[in-house]
């Protein structure tokens, strides 16, 4: 997340664009995520197996790592002081190691009473293929 001050919730409207965020997961990123979550499937670390046995063009990025990128994009856009309240996600297509994943979204709902903003988020590859979609609900601090 960047160090920007919190974006005022009063300045938001449904349809506001979330600033895109690019990530290019490396084998180190995949190793760290696998170690953190205990994911030991070979498609996340064994390139020959992934290509020859599973038929993919490269090592696959874990779903939880892709989901974390859409949350990071929403938080970076919102600014320092905003926290995640909840999120849901669904994967549509595989993402591959060392390939750029662009995350973006739109504000889909604003609850001024609870100071929560729902962001309809997605990630896509360089060809514009949607990889992951989901909703990130952000909690604005009380002022």
């Amino acid at each position: 997340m960047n160090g920007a001050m919190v974006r005022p919730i009063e300045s938001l409207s449904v349809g506001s664009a979330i600033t895109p965020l690019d990530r290019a997961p490396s084998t180190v990123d995949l190793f760290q995520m696998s170690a953190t979550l205990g994911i030991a499937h070979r498609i996340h670390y064994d390139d020959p197996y992934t290509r020859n046995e599973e038929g993919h063009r490269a090592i696959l990025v874990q779903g939880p790592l892709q989901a974390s990128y859409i949350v990071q994009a929403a938080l970076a856009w919102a600014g320092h002081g905003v926290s995640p309240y909840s999120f849901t996600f669904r994967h549509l297509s595989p993402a591959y190691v060392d390939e750029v994943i662009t995350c973006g979204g739109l504000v889909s709902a604003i609850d001024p009473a609870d100071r929560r903003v729902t962001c309809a988020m997605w990630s896509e590859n360089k060809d514009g293929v949607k990889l992951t979609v989901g909703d990130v609900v952000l909690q604005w601090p009380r002022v």
Side-chain angles (χ1 to χ4, degrees):
M1 186 167 73
N2 65 22
M5 294 302 296
V6 63
R7 184 180 300 269
I9 194 170
E10 297 79 16
S11 72
L12 304 179
S13 60
V14 171
S16 295
I18 308 301
T19 306
L21 179 71
D22 288 344
R23 292 285 189 248
S26 69
T27 54
V28 172
D29 296 325
L30 272 62
F31 170 78
Q32 290 173 331
M33 182 58 78
S34 287
T36 299
L37 298 178
I39 298 173
H41 197 296
R42 292 172 69 179
I43 60 173
H44 302 303
Y45 66 86
D46 185 337
D47 190 60
Y49 171 84
T50 304
R51 289 174 191 273
N52 300 330
E53 300 299 322
E54 298 286 341
H56 290 281
R57 67 174 180 260
I59 294 173
L60 290 155
V61 177
Q62 300 97 331
L65 183 56
Q66 294 179 60
S68 75
Y69 292 159
I70 64 173
V71 174
Q72 289 172 21
L75 287 169
W77 165 81
H80 184 70
V82 173
S83 58
Y85 180 78
S86 67
F87 74 98
T88 60
F89 64 94
R90 183 169 56 100
H91 297 295
L92 305 176
S93 296
Y96 297 99
V97 69
D98 296 325
E99 293 184 8
V100 174
I101 297 172
T102 299
C103 303
L106 298 170
V107 172
S108 59
I110 301 170
D111 181 346
D114 286 333
R115 300 190 59 78
R116 292 187 190 128
V117 174
T118 302
C119 303
M121 301 296 295
W122 62 82
S123 66
E124 59 189 21
N125 65 19
K126 65 178 176 53
D127 298 321
V129 174
K130 292 283 189 279
L131 305 171
T132 303
V133 296
D135 288 320
V136 177
V137 180
L138 301 175
Q139 179 71 57
W140 257 250
R142 298 275 175 204
V143 290

